[in-house]
Amino acid sequence: MEKYIEGNKAAWEEAFDNRHASWGADITERVEKEDYPFFNDEMVAVLKKINTKGAVIGQFCCNNGRELLSLVKSGSAARGVGFDIAENQISFANEKAKELNLPCEFVAANVYDIDDSHKEEFDVVIITIGALCWFDNLDRFFAVIAKCMKLGAVIVINEQHPCTNMLATQGDEPYNPDHKKECHYSYFEHEWTGNGGMYYMTQKNYESKTFTDYTHSMSEIMSGMCSNGIMITGLQEFDYDISGGFSDIDCTGFPLSMIVQGKKQ
């Protein structure tokens, strides 16, 4: 396992160990009572057009499992398999699957290292906000994803828009509250490191173990998919934030999020 991935594993497990009491507390109730909880309206519209009934669904970088549990239940899937590097999050997700009596299995694994035991397993793959940035090489990443997809399988990616890579957020030195859409960073800047923790999970600021993440251009995402036999079948771009970092410029015309769809040829 690459050193930066080992570091991210330790940092994510630290964050989850220090999670706020509310983080994940609503999963069981919402999955039981709601239709497609934890997805935004545009993502729900896309998922409802996909035939997930009786399907095997995979999610890569599944975090605490809430989205996969939601889709398997609401979409009447036969089974779901989620992968994440943080072992404590995976244990939590498996506990939730048992509570909900849903046919979901969560596996602690680095995506790069997923072996052939999952080859051509999935009819549907989902990738959600905050997944792609943890990998230095999207061609390598999508090679693994494609390996795990059946011929004709579909993939849906709901992610932060690459244009946000250029923006500064509160706490960044160049951030200016009077010019929130001013671009300070290169669209093609690649590697970032930080020790600021995961506030969305912990609801507190703390000196964390080192997180290393990577920005990717739209061309890197598209090329990574296409070079591994995944044909792009749809792209939607939105000016609303799903990351929690840019909500103060929602609906002001700046591209903040997107949905990319593909199919394995």
Side-chain angles (χ1 to χ4, degrees):
M1 186 185 296
E2 288 88 339
K3 186 176 181 180
Y4 83 90
I5 294 179
E6 288 182 355
N8 284 338
K9 179 179 186 295
W12 273 111
E13 290 177 347
E14 176 186 51
F16 191 75
D17 282 341
N18 289 281
R19 67 190 182 278
H20 191 268
S22 63
W23 178 245
D26 60 347
I27 291 176
T28 300
E29 181 178 8
R30 291 193 63 187
V31 171
E32 286 179 336
K33 295 181 178 180
E34 298 179 30
D35 195 32
Y36 294 92
F38 309 114
F39 294 106
N40 59 59
D41 291 343
E42 286 76 15
M43 186 66 166
V44 171
V46 169
L47 294 173
K48 284 186 173 181
K49 292 179 181 178
I50 297 171
N51 183 16
T52 55
K53 186 174 182 179
V56 181
I57 299 174
Q59 183 180 13
F60 297 81
C61 303
C62 65
N63 203 274
N64 63 14
R66 64 183 193 171
E67 294 151 340
L68 184 62
L69 293 165
S70 170
L71 181 55
V72 168
K73 186 259 186 180
S74 295
S76 301
R79 187 163 59 90
V81 182
F83 303 93
D84 198 275
I85 198 167
E87 294 182 37
N88 49 5
Q89 293 205 79
I90 287 299
S91 296
F92 177 90
N94 278 316
E95 290 173 4
K96 291 299 176 184
K98 289 179 181 179
E99 286 180 22
L100 289 159
N101 194 29
L102 285 173
C104 289
E105 173 192 4
F106 294 93
V107 180
N110 169 21
V111 170
Y112 284 162
D113 296 335
I114 294 173
D115 61 28
D116 287 351
S117 63
H118 297 283
K119 186 176 181 180
E120 298 180 357
E121 183 172 14
F122 303 123
D123 302 290
V124 178
V125 165
I126 59 169
I127 296 173
T128 55
I129 177 67
L132 300 181
C133 66
W134 301 109
F135 300 91
D136 63 343
N137 186 325
L138 289 190
D139 184 70
R140 184 181 174 191
F141 174 81
F142 282 113
V144 176
I145 306 304
K147 176 182 72 174
C148 296
M149 296 170 68
K150 296 177 183 177
L151 187 64
V154 298
I155 181 171
V156 184
I157 302 171
N158 188 198
E159 259 285 12
Q160 185 171 312
H161 197 287
C163 283
T164 59
N165 298 339
M166 299 183 287
L167 300 178
T169 57
Q170 291 187 45
D172 291 344
E173 184 177 344
Y175 177 77
N176 185 336
D178 296 322
H179 300 279
K180 296 173 183 175
K181 291 190 285 184
E182 185 175 344
C183 295
H184 296 277
Y185 304 116
S186 168
Y187 179 69
F188 302 100
E189 188 71 35
H190 198 54
E191 181 177 332
W192 301 76
T193 59
N195 301 90
M198 281 292 159
Y199 184 85
Y200 84 96
M201 184 180 289
T202 62
Q203 296 297 299
K204 62 184 177 182
N205 296 308
Y206 64 102
E207 184 73 14
S208 71
K209 296 179 181 179
T210 301
F211 286 97
T212 303
D213 63 287
Y214 300 85
T215 56
H216 299 289
S217 64
M218 187 72 82
S219 60
E220 284 184 90
I221 297 168
M222 299 295 187
S223 297
M225 296 173 72
C226 293
S227 65
N228 287 289
I230 302 173
M231 179 180 69
I232 309 298
T233 59
L235 170 63
Q236 299 180 69
E237 299 170 284
F238 310 104
D239 68 346
Y240 64 81
D241 179 48
I242 59 173
S243 71
F246 306 100
S247 57
D248 54 355
I249 57 170
D250 269 347
C251 304
T252 60
F254 196 96
L256 297 176
S257 59
M258 64 182 186
I259 296 176
V260 184
Q261 295 173 253
K263 184 175 183 179
K264 182 178 177 179
Q265 297 290 84

